[in-house]
Amino acid sequence: MVMFMDGFRSSLQNMENSCLSFLFPTWNLDDRGSFLGAMVVAFLLAIILEGISTLRPLVLQHMSKGPVRKIVIILLYILQQFMGYVVMFVSMMYSIELMCSIILGFMVGNLLFGQGDSHPVIDRRSSIRTRL
């Protein structure tokens, strides 16, 4: 089974009825060890996604204009979108533990990469298009 079809449920409490596939068909979450490993991966995916979303504006601000900058921005954008979809797929497995791992990962990622109440680099006076 790729996801629970009847809404969110706790998987660690009842491993007999839980046979989720985590991102790949070969990674079955049929025991506690593999499930805890999946929780760590989901946690790290969310932290990495927060880091990438913080890195893109920093590249815009600190790299000199030119084709290399545009390529780096495009590659970071592609990576951010891909990672966002992977995190969405994990959340759509409807496992409470995996969802909590993602939320905790976003919180830790924001603590690590965020700076205060606002986004670290956005300048509201100029648009991103004028800085490309």
Side-chain angles (χ1 to χ4, degrees), residues 64 84 100 104-105 125:
S64 59
C100 289
L104 188 63
R125 293 171 286 168

Side-chain angles (χ1 to χ4, degrees), residues 62-77:
H62 295 293
M63 278 187 78
S64 59
K65 293 181 181 179
V68 173
R69 178 183 178 196
K70 287 184 181 184
I71 291 171
V72 169
I73 292 296
I74 289 170
L75 291 175
L76 284 173
Y77 178 75

